[in-house]
Structure formats: structure tokens, C-alpha cells
């Protein structure tokens, strides 16, 4: 059995590790009974799915648990973000062109950044066919691994304390987009895609994460909403038409490469 891809020390003895947390893609399955969605591979074959992709034996059980503490911490924050309209004291909204910027006042930007980096790293190290187009360079992948291994802890309290003391983050930009309104017209796609040499996108139905491993390749239009800084968490709220455009753009690019 190979060693855990995170700690590199223990055997990777954990089956069924989610690559992208299931709570990020709940709406992928909500519109059908029984609850399922369909996956279309690069050859056009369709199969039913009832869960987000899982992979066997890439992590040890201890590292899986460490990631679980982080996911539990952030899942509660995601719930509040999805309900931002009813929590005016915890969010500030600013106009930005046709979009709006959600400034999250009650969410630790360091903890959220660690969560995003954990998803980017797991997607890159995965060998599942769903993520075959998503691969960081070795240096970036290892830099994220070292950060995660150093910061993640074996209890909730230890993790919170570790996050509060973390300030030596890597120099990567990431942006988060979500639809302004959550309705039947704003349910996006689920995929991960390498858009250019240093540009990556992770689409989780309700959220789009753009990650840049080289700051020079950052889209200039996104610099204002980048979470390169550690002072506040910014999320771009996108109108339904623009949200559809972002999702459809990636689908067209993926089909073009087939």
C-alpha cells in the first residue's frame, strides 16, 4: 500500500475519500427523484451518479480526519454565505460593475483560504478520470501539501489555534464566484479544469474557484476580488446570465478539446 499523499509517512489506508467535499455540491442532485445526476465522460458516455467523486487509498485515516475538522469548520460558514441575505450584520455588499462583492465579516480568511487550498491540492493529486485535466506543477503541489500538513491538526480546538497563528501563506491568488440568487436557473456544472498553464478552475454547482499558481497570470479583471490578501474574505456575486456564461464557457472549451 502506498504512503499517504499528505503526510507521506503513514500508509494510505483510507477508502472513499471525497476529493471535493460533498456539501459544496448538494444541488447537483436535488432536482431528481431518486436523487442522482448524470456524468458525461470525454467519449460521450453517460452514467448515473449519486455522490461527488471519491478515491481509495490516497490518504491515511489520520490525515482524512484532519481534513474533516477543517471541512466541518468551513461547512458552517458556507451555510451562512448561502444565507447572506438574512444575515446583514455578518456581511457587507459592495457594487463592482454588474456584479456585487460579498465581504464576509465573520469568517476567518486564513481558515477559508486553507480550505480552498485543500480542495485545489486534492484535485491535483487525484488520479480519478474526472480530474485528469487538472494538474498543478510539482513545486506548487508540494508547497500546498507542506502548508496543509503543517497547519491541519488532530482536534477542532487545535485547528482553530493553528489557523490563528498562521501567517506564512503561499503567494497564490484565488477568487470565488457564486450566483447572486440560488434558484433553478443558477445551478452550475461540476468539474475541475486546467484553463491555461498556471490557471485552474473548480466548478462546484454553487461556487466557482479560480486558482492561479503564478500571480503574473492572474486575470487583471479579477485582481480586485482576489483573496491573495489575508485581511478579508471576498466572494463575487454574479447575476444569472453571467453565471451561466462562466459555466458554458468551460463546457465549450472542454468539448473543443475532445
Amino acid at each position: 500500500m502506498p504512503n499517504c499523499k499528505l503526510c507521506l509517512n503513514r500508509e494510505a489506508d483510507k477508502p472513499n475519500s471525497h476529493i471535493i467535499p460533498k456539501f459544496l455540491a448538494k444541488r447537483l442532485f436535488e432536482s431528481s427523484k431518486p436523487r442522482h445526476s448524470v456524468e458525461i465522460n470525454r467519449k460521450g458516455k453517460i452514467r448515473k451518479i449519486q455522490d461527488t467523486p471519491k478515491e481509495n487509498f490516497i490518504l491515511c485515516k489520520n490525515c482524512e480526519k484532519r481534513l474533516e475538522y477543517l471541512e466541518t469548520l468551513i461547512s458552517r460558514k458556507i451555510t451562512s454565505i448561502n444565507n447572506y441575505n438574512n444575515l446583514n450584520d455578518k456581511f457587507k455588499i459592495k457594487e463592482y460593475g454588474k456584479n456585487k462583492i460579498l465581504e464576509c465579516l465573520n469568517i476567518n480568511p486564513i481558515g477559508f483560504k486553507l480550505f480552498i487550498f485543500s480542495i485545489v491540492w486534492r484535485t491535483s493529486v487525484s488520479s480519478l478520470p474526472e480530474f485528469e485535466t487538472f494538474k498543478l506543477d510539482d513545486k506548487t503541489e508540494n508547497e500546498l501539501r507542506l502548508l496543509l500538513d503543517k497547519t491541519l491538526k488532530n482536534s477542532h480546538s487545535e485547528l482553530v489555534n493553528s489557523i490563528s497563528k498562521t501567517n506564512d501563506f503561499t503567494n497564490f491568488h484565488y477568487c470565488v464566484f457564486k450566483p447572486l440568487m440560488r434558484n433553478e436557473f443558477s445551478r452550475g456544472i461540476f468539474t475541475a479544469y486546467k484553463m491555461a498553464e498556471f490557471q485552474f478552475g473548480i466548478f462546484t454547482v454553487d461556487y466557482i474557484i479560480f486558482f492561479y499558481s503564478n500571480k503574473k497570470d492572474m486575470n487583471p479583471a479579477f485582481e480586485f476580488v482576489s483573496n491573495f490578501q489575508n485581511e478579508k474574505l471576498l466572494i463575487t456575486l454574479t447575476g444569472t446570465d453571467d453565471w451561466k456564461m462562466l459555466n458554458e464557457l468551460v463546457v465549450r472549451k472542454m468539448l473543443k478539446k475532445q
Side-chain angles (χ1 to χ4, degrees):
M1 186 173 288
N3 280 0
C4 171
K5 291 183 180 292
L6 181 51
C7 69
L8 304 183
N9 295 320
R10 303 178 185 86
E11 286 189 348
D13 57 354
K14 177 64 176 69
N16 296 323
S17 292
H18 278 100
I19 303 303
I20 296 175
K22 189 174 182 178
F23 66 80
L24 282 180
K26 283 183 178 180
R27 290 212 296 158
L28 186 64
F29 309 103
E30 71 178 7
S31 62
S32 59
K33 295 181 180 179
R35 293 177 58 189
H36 69 266
S37 188
V38 296
E39 176 186 84
I40 305 174
N41 67 17
R42 290 184 172 276
K43 296 181 180 179
K45 292 185 178 181
I46 297 175
R47 70 180 181 96
K48 291 183 179 181
I49 57 173
Q50 293 180 300
D51 199 356
T52 55
K54 293 183 287 188
E55 188 166 356
N56 292 326
F57 311 126
I58 61 171
L59 297 171
C60 65
K61 291 177 181 177
N62 183 71
C63 284
E64 176 85 7
K65 193 66 178 177
R66 291 197 294 158
L67 283 164
E68 186 179 310
Y69 285 120
L70 177 63
E71 291 176 4
T72 299
L73 180 68
I74 300 301
S75 68
R76 298 166 184 166
K77 304 303 181 183
I78 293 291
T79 299
S80 68
I81 292 170
N82 290 338
N83 197 33
Y84 73 91
N85 277 322
N86 300 317
L87 299 168
N88 295 330
D89 60 323
K90 296 181 179 180
F91 298 94
K92 184 188 297 183
I93 297 178
K94 299 178 180 179
E95 300 290 333
Y96 180 59
K98 294 187 298 181
N99 301 314
K100 296 182 178 181
I101 308 302
L102 190 68
E103 183 178 335
C104 307
L105 305 177
N106 72 321
I107 300 176
N108 186 314
I110 300 293
F112 201 89
K113 181 175 286 191
L114 192 69
F115 172 70
I116 295 296
F117 287 173
S118 76
I119 295 174
V120 171
W121 177 79
R122 277 180 284 180
T123 304
S124 181
V125 301
S126 173
S127 60
L128 293 177
E130 291 92 331
F131 305 122
E132 64 183 351
T133 65
F134 192 107
K135 180 63 178 175
L136 302 171
D137 62 272
D138 291 343
K139 181 177 181 296
T140 298
E141 190 176 278
N142 191 53
E143 195 170 343
L144 293 180
R145 184 195 70 80
L146 289 170
L147 173 65
L148 291 167
D149 191 37
K150 174 183 176 182
T151 312
L152 295 174
K153 300 300 177 183
N154 291 314
S155 72
H156 174 83
S157 59
E158 287 180 315
L159 173 63
V160 171
N161 184 54
S162 177
I163 289 172
S164 69
K165 294 180 178 178
T166 299
N167 54 22
D168 56 343
F169 264 96
T170 49
N171 295 320
F172 302 132
H173 283 277
Y174 85 88
C175 305
V176 180
F177 291 74
K178 76 178 300 293
L180 185 63
M181 303 294 294
R182 295 179 82 238
N183 53 41
E184 60 181 307
F185 304 108
S186 65
R187 189 162 52 245
I189 62 174
F190 182 89
T191 191
Y193 182 66
K194 183 176 182 178
M195 301 176 292
E197 185 177 2
F198 303 108
Q199 303 174 23
F200 302 83
I202 297 176
F203 294 70
T204 70
V205 185
D206 276 329
Y207 291 86
I208 298 174
I209 301 162
F210 290 125
F211 177 82
Y212 300 86
S213 58
N214 186 330
K215 61 186 302 183
K216 294 179 181 178
D217 286 73
M218 174 75 179
N219 187 329
F222 292 171
E223 286 189 18
F224 182 73
V225 296
S226 170
N227 287 287
F228 176 79
Q229 45 76 32
N230 295 320
E231 287 71 43
K232 51 191 175 183
L233 171 61
L234 302 176
I235 295 175
T236 303
L237 303 175
T238 305
T240 301
D241 289 342
D242 287 339
W243 179 255
K244 285 183 177 179
M245 181 191 71
L246 283 170
N247 283 271
E248 290 171 358
L249 179 65
V250 169
V251 172
R252 286 198 297 270
K253 284 186 175 181
M254 292 177 72
L255 290 175
K256 194 176 292 186
K257 287 198 171 187
Q258 286 187 10

